[in-house]
Coordinates of all heavy atoms in Angstrom, one line a residue:
M953 N 13.1 -6.1 14.4 CA 12.4 -6.2 13.3 C 11.9 -4.8 13.0 O 11.4 -4.1 13.9 CB 11.2 -7.2 13.8 CG 10.2 -7.3 12.7 SD 8.9 -8.7 13.1 CE 8.9 -9.3 11.4
P954 N 11.9 -4.5 11.8 CA 11.5 -3.0 11.3 C 9.8 -2.9 11.5 O 9.2 -3.9 11.2 CB 12.0 -2.8 10.0 CG 12.1 -4.2 9.4 CD 12.5 -5.2 10.6
L955 N 9.6 -1.7 11.7 CA 8.0 -1.5 11.9 C 7.7 -0.6 10.6 O 8.2 0.4 10.3 CB 7.7 -0.5 13.1 CG 8.0 -1.2 14.4 CD1 7.8 -0.1 15.4 CD2 7.1 -2.3 14.7
F956 N 6.9 -1.3 9.8 CA 6.4 -0.8 8.5 C 5.2 0.1 8.7 O 4.1 -0.3 8.2 CB 6.3 -1.8 7.4 CG 7.6 -2.6 7.1 CD1 7.8 -3.9 7.3 CD2 8.7 -1.8 6.5 CE1 8.9 -4.4 7.0 CE2 9.8 -2.5 6.2 CZ 10.0 -3.7 6.4
V957 N 5.2 1.2 9.5 CA 4.2 2.0 9.7 C 3.5 2.6 8.4 O 2.4 2.9 8.5 CB 4.5 3.1 10.6 CG1 4.8 2.5 12.0 CG2 5.5 4.0 10.2
H958 N 4.3 2.8 7.3 CA 3.7 3.3 6.1 C 2.7 2.5 5.5 O 1.8 2.7 4.6 CB 4.9 3.7 5.1 CG 5.6 2.4 4.8 ND1 6.6 1.9 5.5 CD2 5.7 1.8 3.7 CE1 7.1 0.9 4.9 NE2 6.5 0.8 3.8
L959 N 2.8 1.1 5.9 CA 1.8 0.1 5.2 C 0.4 0.3 5.7 O -0.7 -0.1 5.1 CB 2.3 -1.3 5.4 CG 3.5 -1.7 4.8 CD1 4.0 -3.1 5.3 CD2 3.4 -1.6 3.3
K960 N 0.3 1.0 7.0 CA -1.1 1.1 7.5 C -2.0 2.0 6.7 O -3.1 1.9 6.5 CB -0.8 1.9 8.9 CG -2.2 2.0 9.6 CD -2.0 2.6 11.0 CE -3.3 2.6 11.7 NZ -3.0 2.9 13.2
W961 N -1.3 3.1 5.9 CA -2.1 3.9 5.0 C -1.7 3.7 3.6 O -2.1 4.5 2.8 CB -1.8 5.4 5.5 CG -2.2 5.6 6.8 CD1 -3.5 5.8 7.2 CD2 -1.5 5.7 8.0 NE1 -3.7 6.1 8.6 CE2 -2.4 6.0 9.1 CE3 -0.2 5.5 8.3 CZ2 -1.9 6.1 10.4 CZ3 0.3 5.7 9.6 CH2 -0.7 6.0 10.6
A962 N -1.0 2.8 3.2 CA -0.5 2.6 2.0 C -1.6 2.2 0.9 O -2.5 1.4 1.4 CB 0.6 1.5 1.8
Q963 N -1.6 2.7 -0.3 CA -2.5 2.2 -1.2 C -1.8 1.0 -2.0 O -0.7 1.0 -2.6 CB -2.8 3.3 -2.3 CG -3.8 2.9 -3.3 CD -4.0 4.2 -4.2 OE1 -3.1 4.8 -4.6 NE2 -5.2 4.2 -4.8
V964 N -2.5 -0.1 -1.9 CA -1.9 -1.4 -2.6 C -2.6 -1.7 -3.9 O -3.9 -1.7 -4.0 CB -2.1 -2.6 -1.5 CG1 -1.5 -3.8 -2.2 CG2 -1.4 -2.2 -0.3
R965 N -1.8 -2.0 -4.9 CA -2.4 -2.3 -6.3 C -1.6 -3.5 -6.8 O -0.3 -3.6 -6.6 CB -2.3 -1.2 -7.2 CG -3.2 0.0 -6.9 CD -3.3 0.7 -8.2 NE -3.8 2.2 -7.9 CZ -3.6 3.1 -8.6 NH1 -3.0 3.1 -9.7 NH2 -4.1 4.3 -8.3
D966 N -2.3 -4.4 -7.5 CA -1.7 -5.5 -8.2 C -1.3 -5.1 -9.6 O -2.1 -4.2 -10.2 CB -2.6 -6.7 -8.3 CG -3.0 -7.4 -6.9 OD1 -2.2 -7.3 -6.1 OD2 -4.0 -7.9 -6.8
I967 N -0.1 -5.4 -9.9 CA 0.3 -5.2 -11.3 C 0.4 -6.3 -12.1 O 1.1 -7.4 -11.6 CB 1.7 -4.5 -11.2 CG1 1.8 -3.2 -10.5 CG2 2.2 -4.2 -12.7 CD1 3.1 -2.5 -10.2
P968 N -0.3 -6.4 -13.2 CA -0.3 -7.7 -14.1 C 1.0 -8.1 -14.5 O 1.9 -7.2 -14.7 CB -1.3 -7.4 -15.2 CG -2.0 -6.2 -14.7 CD -1.3 -5.5 -13.8
K969 N 1.3 -9.4 -14.5 CA 2.5 -9.9 -15.0 C 2.7 -9.4 -16.6 O 1.9 -9.3 -17.3 CB 2.4 -11.4 -15.1 CG 3.8 -12.0 -15.4 CD 3.7 -13.6 -15.4 CE 5.0 -14.2 -15.7 NZ 4.9 -15.7 -15.6
G970 N 4.0 -8.9 -16.8 CA 4.3 -8.3 -18.1 C 3.9 -6.9 -18.3 O 4.0 -6.4 -19.4
A971 N 3.5 -6.2 -17.2 CA 2.9 -4.8 -17.4 C 4.0 -3.8 -17.1 O 3.7 -2.6 -17.0 CB 1.6 -4.6 -16.4
G972 N 5.2 -4.2 -16.9 CA 6.3 -3.3 -16.6 C 6.6 -3.2 -15.2 O 6.1 -3.8 -14.4
T973 N 7.5 -2.2 -14.8 CA 7.9 -2.0 -13.6 C 7.6 -0.5 -13.0 O 8.2 0.0 -12.1 CB 9.5 -2.1 -13.5 OG1 10.0 -1.2 -14.4 CG2 9.9 -3.5 -13.9
S974 N 6.6 0.1 -13.7 CA 6.2 1.5 -13.1 C 4.7 1.5 -13.0 O 4.1 0.8 -13.6 CB 6.6 2.6 -14.1 OG 6.1 2.4 -15.4
I975 N 4.3 2.4 -12.2 CA 3.0 2.6 -11.7 C 2.7 4.1 -11.5 O 3.7 4.8 -11.1 CB 2.5 1.6 -10.7 CG1 0.9 1.7 -10.5 CG2 3.1 2.1 -9.4 CD1 0.4 0.6 -9.5
K976 N 1.6 4.5 -11.6 CA 1.3 6.0 -11.4 C 0.1 6.0 -10.3 O -1.0 5.4 -10.5 CB 0.8 6.6 -12.7 CG 0.4 8.1 -12.5 CD 0.1 8.8 -13.8 CE -1.2 8.2 -14.4 NZ -1.6 9.0 -15.6
F977 N 0.3 6.7 -9.3 CA -0.7 6.9 -8.3 C -1.1 8.5 -8.4 O -0.4 9.2 -9.0 CB -0.2 6.8 -6.9 CG 0.2 5.4 -6.5 CD1 1.4 4.9 -6.7 CD2 -0.8 4.6 -6.3 CE1 1.8 3.6 -6.5 CE2 -0.5 3.1 -5.9 CZ 0.8 2.7 -6.1
R978 N -2.4 8.7 -8.0 CA -2.8 10.2 -8.1 C -3.2 10.7 -6.7 O -3.9 10.0 -5.9 CB -4.1 10.2 -9.0 CG -4.6 11.6 -9.3 CD -5.6 11.5 -10.5 NE -4.7 11.5 -11.6 CZ -5.2 11.5 -12.8 NH1 -6.5 11.3 -13.0 NH2 -4.5 11.4 -13.9
R979 N -2.5 11.9 -6.4 CA -2.8 12.4 -5.2 C -3.7 13.8 -5.3 O -3.3 14.6 -6.1 CB -1.5 12.8 -4.5 CG -1.6 13.6 -3.2 CD -0.5 14.0 -2.5 NE 0.7 14.2 -3.4 CZ 2.0 13.9 -3.2 NH1 2.4 13.3 -2.0 NH2 2.9 14.3 -4.0
Y980 N -4.8 13.8 -4.7 CA -5.6 15.0 -4.8 C -5.2 16.1 -3.8 O -4.9 15.8 -2.6 CB -7.1 14.7 -4.6 CG -7.5 13.9 -5.8 CD1 -7.6 12.4 -5.7 CD2 -8.0 14.5 -6.9 CE1 -8.1 11.8 -6.7 CE2 -8.6 13.6 -8.0 CZ -8.6 12.4 -7.9 OH -8.9 11.6 -9.0
S981 N -5.3 17.4 -4.1 CA -4.8 18.5 -3.2 C -6.1 18.7 -2.4 O -7.3 18.4 -2.7 CB -4.7 19.7 -4.0 OG -3.6 19.5 -5.0
L982 N -5.8 19.3 -1.3 CA -7.0 19.8 -0.3 C -7.8 20.8 -0.9 O -7.4 21.7 -1.7 CB -6.3 20.3 1.0 CG -5.6 19.2 1.8 CD1 -4.9 19.9 3.0 CD2 -6.4 18.0 2.2
L983 N -9.2 20.8 -0.5 CA -10.0 21.8 -0.9 C -9.8 23.0 -0.1 O -9.5 22.9 1.2 CB -11.5 21.4 -0.9 CG -11.9 20.2 -1.9 CD1 -13.2 19.7 -1.6 CD2 -11.9 20.7 -3.3
T984 N -10.2 24.2 -0.5 CA -10.2 25.3 0.4 C -11.4 25.2 1.3 O -12.5 24.8 0.9 CB -10.4 26.7 -0.4 OG1 -11.5 26.6 -1.3 CG2 -9.1 26.9 -1.3
P985 N -11.2 25.7 2.4 CA -12.3 25.6 3.5 C -13.5 26.5 3.1 O -13.3 27.6 2.6 CB -11.6 26.1 4.8 CG -10.2 26.4 4.4 CD -9.9 26.4 3.1
A986 N -14.7 26.1 3.5 CA -15.9 26.8 3.1 C -16.0 27.7 4.2 O -16.0 27.4 5.5 CB -17.1 26.0 3.1
T987 N -16.1 29.2 4.0 CA -16.1 30.2 4.8 C -17.4 30.9 5.0 O -17.7 31.7 5.9 CB -15.0 31.3 4.6 OG1 -15.1 31.8 3.2 CG2 -13.6 30.8 4.9
T988 N -18.3 30.7 4.1 CA -19.7 31.2 4.0 C -20.8 30.1 4.4 O -20.8 29.0 4.0 CB -20.1 31.9 2.7 OG1 -20.0 31.0 1.7 CG2 -19.0 33.1 2.5
P989 N -21.7 30.5 5.2 CA -22.7 29.5 5.5 C -23.7 29.2 4.2 O -23.8 30.0 3.4 CB -23.6 30.2 6.6 CG -23.4 31.7 6.5 CD -21.9 31.8 5.9
L990 N -24.3 28.0 4.3 CA -25.1 27.5 3.3 C -26.5 28.3 3.4 O -26.9 28.6 4.5 CB -25.3 26.2 3.1 CG -24.1 25.3 2.9 CD1 -24.4 23.8 3.1 CD2 -23.6 25.6 1.5
T991 N -27.2 28.5 2.2 CA -28.6 29.2 2.2 C -29.4 28.2 1.6 O -29.0 27.6 0.6 CB -28.5 30.5 1.5 OG1 -27.5 31.4 1.9 CG2 -29.7 31.1 1.6
E992 N -30.5 28.0 2.3 CA -31.4 26.9 1.7 C -32.0 27.3 0.5 O -32.4 28.5 0.2 CB -32.6 26.7 2.7 CG -33.5 25.6 2.4 CD -34.6 25.2 3.5 OE1 -34.3 25.7 4.7 OE2 -35.5 24.5 3.2
G993 N -32.0 26.4 -0.6 CA -32.4 26.7 -1.9 C -31.5 27.1 -2.9 O -31.8 27.3 -4.0
I994 N -30.4 27.5 -2.4 CA -29.3 28.0 -3.3 C -28.1 27.0 -3.3 O -27.6 26.6 -2.3 CB -28.8 29.3 -2.8 CG1 -29.9 30.4 -2.8 CG2 -27.6 29.9 -3.6 CD1 -29.6 31.8 -2.3
T995 N -27.8 26.7 -4.5 CA -26.7 25.8 -4.6 C -25.4 26.6 -4.7 O -25.1 27.5 -5.3 CB -26.8 25.0 -6.0 OG1 -28.1 24.3 -6.1 CG2 -25.6 24.0 -6.2
P996 N -24.5 26.2 -3.8 CA -23.2 26.9 -3.6 C -22.4 26.7 -5.0 O -22.6 25.7 -5.7 CB -22.5 26.3 -2.4 CG -23.0 25.0 -2.3 CD -24.4 25.1 -2.9
A997 N -21.4 27.6 -5.1 CA -20.5 27.6 -6.3 C -19.6 26.2 -6.1 O -19.2 25.8 -5.1 CB -19.6 28.7 -6.4
G998 N -19.3 25.6 -7.2 CA -18.5 24.3 -7.2 C -17.0 24.5 -7.1 O -16.6 25.8 -7.4
S999 N -16.4 23.7 -6.7 CA -14.9 23.7 -6.6 C -14.2 22.8 -7.6 O -14.7 21.5 -7.7 CB -14.2 23.6 -5.2 OG -14.8 24.5 -4.3
Q1000 N -13.2 23.0 -8.2 CA -12.5 22.1 -9.1 C -11.4 21.3 -8.2 O -10.7 21.9 -7.4 CB -11.7 23.0 -10.1 CG -11.4 22.3 -11.5 CD -12.6 21.7 -12.2 OE1 -13.7 22.0 -12.0 NE2 -12.2 20.9 -13.1
L1001 N -11.4 20.1 -8.4 CA -10.4 19.1 -7.9 C -9.1 19.3 -8.5 O -9.0 19.2 -9.8 CB -10.7 17.6 -7.7 CG -11.7 17.3 -6.6 CD1 -12.1 15.8 -6.8 CD2 -11.1 17.5 -5.2
A1002 N -8.0 19.5 -7.9 CA -6.7 19.7 -8.4 C -5.9 18.4 -8.0 O -6.1 17.9 -6.8 CB -6.0 20.7 -7.9
Y1003 N -5.0 17.8 -8.9 CA -4.4 16.5 -8.6 C -2.9 16.6 -9.0 O -2.5 17.4 -9.8 CB -5.1 15.3 -9.0 CG -5.2 15.3 -10.6 CD1 -4.1 14.7 -11.4 CD2 -6.3 15.7 -11.3 CE1 -4.3 14.6 -12.8 CE2 -6.4 15.7 -12.6 CZ -5.4 15.2 -13.3 OH -5.5 15.2 -14.7
T1004 N -2.2 15.7 -8.4 CA -0.8 15.5 -8.9 C -0.5 14.0 -9.2 O -0.9 13.3 -8.3 CB 0.1 16.0 -7.7 OG1 -0.1 17.4 -7.4 CG2 1.7 15.9 -8.2
D1005 N 0.0 13.7 -10.2 CA 0.4 12.4 -10.6 C 1.8 12.1 -9.9 O 2.7 12.8 -9.8 CB 0.6 12.1 -12.1 CG -0.8 12.0 -12.7 OD1 -1.9 11.8 -12.1 OD2 -0.8 12.4 -14.0
V1006 N 1.7 10.9 -9.2 CA 2.9 10.5 -8.5 C 3.4 9.1 -9.1 O 2.9 8.1 -8.9 CB 2.7 10.2 -7.0 CG1 3.9 9.9 -6.3 CG2 2.1 11.5 -6.4
P1007 N 4.5 9.2 -9.9 CA 5.0 8.0 -10.5 C 5.9 7.2 -9.5 O 6.4 7.8 -8.7 CB 5.8 8.5 -11.7 CG 6.3 9.7 -11.4 CD 5.1 10.3 -10.5
A1008 N 5.9 5.9 -9.7 CA 6.7 5.0 -9.0 C 7.2 3.8 -9.7 O 6.7 3.4 -10.6 CB 5.8 4.5 -7.7
T1009 N 8.5 3.6 -9.4 CA 9.1 2.4 -10.0 C 9.2 1.2 -9.0 O 9.5 1.3 -7.8 CB 10.6 2.7 -10.5 OG1 10.6 3.9 -11.3 CG2 11.2 1.5 -11.1
I1010 N 8.9 -0.1 -9.5 CA 8.6 -1.2 -8.6 C 9.9 -1.9 -8.5 O 10.6 -2.0 -9.5 CB 7.6 -2.1 -9.2 CG1 6.2 -1.4 -9.6 CG2 7.3 -3.3 -8.4 CD1 5.6 -0.6 -8.5
E1011 N 10.2 -2.3 -7.3 CA 11.5 -3.0 -7.0 C 11.0 -4.2 -6.0 O 10.0 -4.1 -5.3 CB 12.5 -2.1 -6.2 CG 12.9 -0.9 -6.8 CD 13.9 -1.3 -8.0 OE1 14.5 -2.4 -8.0 OE2 14.1 -0.4 -8.9
Q1012 N 11.7 -5.4 -6.3 CA 11.5 -6.4 -5.5 C 12.6 -6.7 -4.4 O 13.7 -6.5 -4.6 CB 11.3 -7.7 -6.3 CG 10.3 -7.7 -7.3 CD 10.2 -9.0 -8.1 OE1 10.7 -10.0 -7.7 NE2 9.5 -8.9 -9.2
Y1013 N 12.1 -7.0 -3.2 CA 13.1 -7.3 -2.0 C 12.8 -8.6 -1.5 O 11.5 -9.0 -1.5 CB 12.9 -6.2 -1.0 CG 13.3 -4.9 -1.5 CD1 12.4 -4.0 -2.0 CD2 14.6 -4.4 -1.4 CE1 12.7 -2.8 -2.5 CE2 15.0 -3.2 -1.8 CZ 14.1 -2.3 -2.4 OH 14.4 -1.2 -2.8
G1014 N 13.8 -9.3 -1.2 CA 13.5 -10.7 -0.5 C 14.7 -11.1 0.2 O 15.8 -10.6 0.1
K1015 N 14.6 -12.3 0.9 CA 15.5 -12.8 1.5 C 15.4 -14.4 1.5 O 14.4 -14.9 1.6 CB 15.5 -12.4 3.0 CG 16.9 -12.2 3.7 CD 16.6 -11.7 5.1 CE 17.8 -10.6 5.3 NZ 17.6 -10.2 6.7
K1016 N 16.6 -15.2 1.6 CA 16.5 -16.5 1.6 C 16.6 -17.0 3.1 O 17.4 -16.4 3.8 CB 17.6 -17.2 0.8 CG 17.8 -18.7 0.9 CD 19.0 -19.1 0.0 CE 19.2 -20.6 0.2 NZ 20.3 -21.1 -0.6
I1017 N 15.9 -18.0 3.5 CA 16.0 -18.4 4.9 C 16.3 -19.8 4.9 O 15.8 -20.7 4.2 CB 14.5 -18.2 5.6 CG1 14.2 -16.8 5.6 CG2 14.5 -18.8 6.9 CD1 12.7 -16.6 6.0
I1018 N 17.3 -20.2 5.8 CA 17.7 -21.6 5.9 C 17.4 -21.9 7.3 O 17.8 -21.3 8.3 CB 19.3 -21.7 5.7 CG1 19.7 -21.2 4.3 CG2 19.7 -23.1 6.0 CD1 21.2 -21.0 4.1
A1019 N 16.6 -23.1 7.3 CA 16.1 -23.5 8.7 C 16.7 -24.9 9.0 O 16.6 -25.7 8.2 CB 14.6 -23.6 8.7
V1020 N 17.3 -25.0 10.1 CA 17.8 -26.4 10.4 C 17.1 -26.8 11.8 O 17.1 -26.1 12.8 CB 19.3 -26.2 10.9 CG1 19.9 -27.6 11.4 CG2 20.2 -25.9 9.6
L1021 N 16.4 -27.9 11.6 CA 15.6 -28.4 12.7 C 16.2 -29.7 13.3 O 16.5 -30.6 12.6 CB 14.1 -28.7 12.1 CG 13.3 -27.6 11.5 CD1 12.0 -28.1 11.0 CD2 13.1 -26.4 12.5
K1022 N 16.3 -29.6 14.6 CA 16.9 -30.9 15.3 C 15.8 -31.3 16.3 O 15.0 -30.4 16.9 CB 18.1 -30.3 16.2 CG 19.2 -29.9 15.1 CD 20.3 -29.7 16.1 CE 21.7 -29.3 15.2 NZ 22.8 -29.1 15.9
S1023 N 15.7 -32.5 16.4 CA 14.7 -33.2 17.2 C 15.3 -34.0 18.2 O 16.3 -34.8 17.9 CB 13.7 -33.8 16.5 OG 12.7 -34.5 17.2
S1024 N 14.9 -34.0 19.5 CA 15.4 -34.9 20.4 C 14.4 -36.1 20.7 O 14.7 -36.8 21.6 CB 15.8 -34.1 21.8 OG 14.5 -33.6 22.3
L1025 N 13.5 -36.1 20.0 CA 12.5 -37.2 20.0 C 12.9 -38.5 19.1 O 13.2 -38.2 17.9 CB 11.1 -36.7 19.8 CG 10.6 -35.5 20.5 CD1 9.2 -35.2 20.0 CD2 10.4 -36.0 22.0
N1026 N 12.8 -39.6 19.6 CA 13.1 -40.8 18.9 C 11.7 -41.5 18.5 O 11.0 -41.7 19.6 CB 14.0 -41.7 19.6 CG 15.2 -41.1 19.7 OD1 15.7 -40.3 18.8 ND2 16.0 -41.4 20.8
F1027 N 11.3 -41.7 17.3 CA 10.1 -42.3 17.0 C 10.5 -43.9 16.5 O 11.4 -43.9 15.8 CB 9.4 -41.6 16.0 CG 8.9 -40.3 16.3 CD1 9.6 -39.2 15.9 CD2 7.7 -40.1 17.1 CE1 9.2 -38.0 16.5 CE2 7.3 -38.9 17.5 CZ 7.9 -37.7 17.1
D1028 N 9.7 -44.8 17.0 CA 9.9 -46.2 16.5 C 8.5 -46.6 16.0 O 7.5 -46.7 16.6 CB 10.3 -47.0 17.7 CG 10.6 -48.4 17.4 OD1 10.8 -48.7 16.2 OD2 10.6 -49.3 18.2
F1029 N 8.7 -46.8 14.5 CA 7.3 -47.1 13.9 C 7.5 -48.8 13.7 O 8.2 -49.1 12.7 CB 7.2 -46.4 12.5 CG 7.1 -45.1 12.9 CD1 8.1 -44.1 12.6 CD2 5.8 -44.5 13.1 CE1 7.9 -42.7 12.8 CE2 5.6 -43.2 13.2 CZ 6.7 -42.4 13.1
A1030 N 6.9 -49.5 14.6 CA 6.7 -50.9 14.3 C 5.4 -51.4 13.8 O 4.4 -50.9 14.2 CB 7.1 -51.7 15.7
L1031 N 5.5 -52.1 12.8 CA 4.1 -52.7 12.3 C 4.0 -54.0 12.6 O 4.8 -54.9 12.6 CB 4.3 -52.5 10.7 CG 4.3 -51.1 10.2 CD1 4.5 -51.0 8.6 CD2 3.0 -50.3 10.6

């Protein structure tokens, strides 16, 4: 059985019926580390968030299962 470890951190979204087969996720870049200490009463300079759009095409996967059940028990339903 395969281990789907990527599902642990996956972002899951529902796609409404009839909305197509593509979706766009957004990935934000890391901020640069703060190298100067904060000073009380002074607001530090702000940083701009950078992002990358990640498009994805939706595919469906599935399998048909055939189950044959055999029972060795005999039931007698007398009324």
Side-chain angles (χ1 to χ4, degrees):
M953 177 172 223
L955 297 174
F956 296 117
V957 294
H958 62 282
L959 293 177
K960 186 174 182 179
W961 297 282
Q963 183 181 31
V964 180
R965 287 198 199 158
D966 292 331
I967 299 176
K969 186 176 181 177
T973 59
S974 63
I975 190 168
K976 179 177 68 173
F977 294 95
R978 185 162 280 177
R979 176 179 36 214
Y980 290 95
S981 301
L982 296 175
L983 293 173
T984 56
T987 56
T988 56
L990 296 174
T991 304
E992 189 172 343
I994 298 175
T995 303
S999 296
Q1000 204 57 21
L1001 278 177
Y1003 62 87
T1004 304
D1005 287 337
V1006 180
T1009 301
I1010 308 305
E1011 298 289 339
Q1012 294 183 18
Y1013 295 89
K1015 217 177 222 190
K1016 177 181 175 182
I1017 298 174
I1018 300 171
V1020 178
L1021 303 174
K1022 294 184 180 181
S1023 175
S1024 62
L1025 300 174
N1026 292 324
F1027 294 100
D1028 185 16
F1029 294 101
L1031 296 175

